[in-house]
Amino acid sequence: MKKYIIAIFIFTTLQSYSQYNNNGMRNQGQNQMMQTPDKPADPDFKIERYLGIVIYDIEKAAKKSGIKLSSDEGKKFSSLLTTYNKEIKDIRRINSFTLKSTKEMIDNYQKNVAKTGDFSNQTKVRLEMASNLKPISDTLKKEDKELDKSIKALLSEKQYKKWIKYNRKIYKVFPKEKKE
């Protein structure tokens, strides 16, 4: 009888100890998940997304637009996007210094604001950014209008709608033509 009582005592002690440890570990894990990081993430202004610079993956763009690359229409589509990608890469390469310096200026401003909470230079930074990026933006708009005209002439209405939907997903918006 003593053996049974000792066995039951040991068994219940071990069971309560293990339950205590599991709850302790669970609470510890929950506390770790709720902790905030020591410092906020560094600012990373996506200047190419801001300007609408997109280098197309031709196969993916054709698939999303409902075009078969093996057809004549698909070959024309592929050549249009290849030419567009080359021109955009050239624009990006030529203006790389301006893009990099503007990105650094904005990131430094955001870091400074995060430290001090001082937004007094916001207008100055925004105007400087706009003046730096205006020529690049104008060139990109011109290229985008040409691509949009060519694509619109090439694709059916249904395929063109799919093309526009795909571009919205990758944060690309084509400028509207002014009707006079």
Side-chain angles (χ1 to χ4, degrees):
M1 186 73 175
K2 281 185 177 180
K3 291 180 185 178
Y4 291 124
I5 293 175
I6 292 174
I8 291 173
F9 178 73
I10 291 174
F11 179 70
T12 55
T13 306
L14 289 174
Q15 189 175 10
S16 64
Y17 179 76
S18 65
Q19 286 179 357
Y20 175 76
N21 277 346
N22 282 341
N23 285 339
M25 294 300 247
R26 192 175 305 134
N27 288 340
Q28 207 173 34
Q30 287 175 349
N31 289 340
Q32 286 177 352
M33 287 179 14
M34 290 181 197
Q35 289 177 348
T36 57
D38 293 336
K39 66 173 192 162
D42 289 336
D44 184 25
F45 182 70
K46 304 212 180 312
I47 197 159
E48 291 187 0
R49 182 184 281 183
Y50 174 79
L51 286 172
I53 296 175
V54 172
I55 304 297
Y56 288 101
D57 178 1
I58 296 170
E59 291 177 7
K60 187 174 182 179
K63 181 180 177 185
K64 293 286 187 175
S65 300
I67 300 169
K68 295 187 178 178
L69 288 175
S70 58
S71 68
D72 290 338
E73 183 181 66
K75 290 177 183 173
K76 289 178 185 175
F77 182 78
S78 176
S79 68
L80 280 173
L81 287 185
T82 303
T83 305
Y84 176 81
N85 284 346
K86 183 182 177 300
E87 291 171 356
I88 295 301
K89 285 178 183 176
D90 287 344
I91 292 169
R92 191 170 63 181
R93 180 183 46 81
I94 290 168
N95 296 298
S96 63
F97 178 75
T98 306
L99 293 172
K100 187 176 179 182
S101 64
T102 305
K103 179 183 176 8
E104 287 175 359
M105 175 188 68
I106 294 168
D107 286 347
N108 289 336
Y109 170 73
Q110 289 176 345
K111 282 181 189 175
N112 189 23
V113 166
K115 285 181 186 174
T116 62
D118 180 21
F119 288 93
S120 61
N121 292 335
Q122 184 175 11
T123 307
K124 178 184 164 196
V125 170
R126 206 170 17 179
L127 289 173
E128 189 174 342
M129 177 184 76
S131 67
N132 287 349
L133 299 179
K134 179 83 170 131
I136 301 169
S137 177
D138 291 341
T139 307
L140 289 170
K141 281 181 185 175
K142 184 179 134 206
E143 294 295 330
D144 289 345
K145 281 183 183 178
E146 290 176 16
L147 176 68
D148 191 43
K149 273 186 193 176
S150 303
I151 294 289
K152 197 170 193 175
L154 179 67
L155 302 179
S156 68
E157 188 174 327
K158 184 177 178 182
Q159 289 172 329
Y160 182 72
K161 285 182 181 179
K162 287 182 180 180
W163 165 252
I164 295 297
K165 184 178 177 182
Y166 168 67
N167 280 288
R168 284 191 189 123
K169 284 185 179 178
I170 59 173
Y171 303 103
K172 178 72 174 176
V173 178
F174 291 103
K176 303 280 185 197
E177 291 188 32
K178 296 176 184 172
K179 294 181 181 178
E180 295 176 12

